Amino acid sequence: MSTSIRIAIVDDHPLFREGVARSLGEIGGFELVGEGSSAEDAERLARASTPDILLLDISMPGGGLNALAGILSTMPDQKIVMLTVSETNADVAQALKAGARGYVLKGVGSKALAEILRDVANGQSYVSPSLSARLLSDLLQPTGNKPDPLSQLTGREAEILKLVAEGLSNKEVAARLSLQEKTVKHHMTRVLAKLNVRNRTEAALLMHEARERN
């Protein structure tokens, strides 16, 4: 992007906020427009600073997930990325269902975080590969006699979706399965169309909800 990505960081650990802000500042292309430590701060910053991306922790006074839902109920276009230590499927699913554009674990490196934020700013979604892989693996387990949400996928499509959910790029999937990269892209296009979703994160969330109903 030609202009800086405006970010606000809400986390109840000042040193962590400072570290994120400093790291992104050193990488360049980001402008810090606000900081806070609570759900109340998050809602205030969203209204007053209108950041391109709001980074929220889950564990904070008032609750990060509560702030997420509250902000998006009145500002649905606000891009929010959860930056947290929580790896529970319930938190991931709740955040994505509420509208978070990303779910990132705090162990991420600064360069990787910067790349994720650039992708989110450009309209993409992101979930830490270890989480999306585990969530998808959990969703693919048999659930009694009820139909699997992935039953409409071919064996090859399901195989590719599993690898993509593990964080592999189309090129890496192609190498793993001895396919052409364009073939992988074609299969993924069909997977998303069959599941009526925009990306693998939404595919995993859709199946999570389907399993909960079973």
Side-chain angles (χ1 to χ4, degrees), residues 24-96:
L24 293 177
E26 291 173 352
I27 289 171
F30 298 90
E31 177 189 356
L32 181 65
V33 298
E35 293 183 52
S37 60
S38 66
E40 183 179 353
D41 288 341
E43 296 189 30
R44 173 182 54 79
L45 286 168
R47 291 191 303 268
S49 303
T50 59
D52 295 320
I53 299 175
L54 179 61
L55 287 169
L56 292 183
D57 189 13
I58 283 183
S59 178
M60 67 169 73
L65 292 174
N66 291 333
L68 168 70
I71 292 168
L72 294 182
S73 67
T74 57
M75 303 175 64
D77 293 330
Q78 174 65 64
K79 294 181 174 71
I80 298 178
V81 171
M82 309 308 293
L83 183 57
T84 179
V85 298
S86 175
E87 299 185 38
T88 65
N89 282 359
D91 283 344
V92 178
Q94 185 176 345
L96 297 177

Side-chain angles (χ1 to χ4, degrees), residues 99-141:
R101 302 296 182 90
Y103 197 102
V104 185
L105 295 178
K106 283 187 174 181
V108 68
S110 57
K111 290 183 179 179
L113 177 60
E115 188 62 33
I116 291 166
L117 296 180
R118 292 189 192 103
D119 288 343
V120 170
N122 285 321
Q124 299 182 42
S125 299
Y126 178 88
V127 173
S128 291
S130 61
L131 297 180
S132 58
R134 190 178 67 197
L135 182 60
L136 185 56
S137 175
D138 184 50
L139 299 171
L140 290 173
Q141 297 302 315

Side-chain angles (χ1 to χ4, degrees), residues 118-200:
R118 292 189 192 103
D119 288 343
V120 170
N122 285 321
Q124 299 182 42
S125 299
Y126 178 88
V127 173
S128 291
S130 61
L131 297 180
S132 58
R134 190 178 67 197
L135 182 60
L136 185 56
S137 175
D138 184 50
L139 299 171
L140 290 173
Q141 297 302 315
T143 53
N145 296 322
K146 302 231 176 151
D148 188 325
L150 293 182
S151 60
Q152 59 188 315
L153 302 182
T154 65
R156 176 64 85 184
E157 288 167 351
E159 184 178 28
I160 289 174
L161 180 56
K162 288 180 184 179
L163 293 176
V164 169
E166 289 173 9
L168 273 66
S169 66
N170 287 340
K171 184 176 182 180
E172 290 169 332
V173 172
R176 179 78 64 87
L177 300 179
S178 300
L179 297 173
Q180 294 293 321
E181 185 176 355
K182 64 181 180 180
T183 301
V184 173
K185 291 180 179 178
H186 173 71
H187 280 304
M188 278 306 301
T189 298
R190 289 180 57 85
V191 167
L192 300 183
K194 285 182 178 182
L195 298 181
N196 193 30
V197 295
R198 294 172 296 181
N199 51 56
R200 70 174 184 267

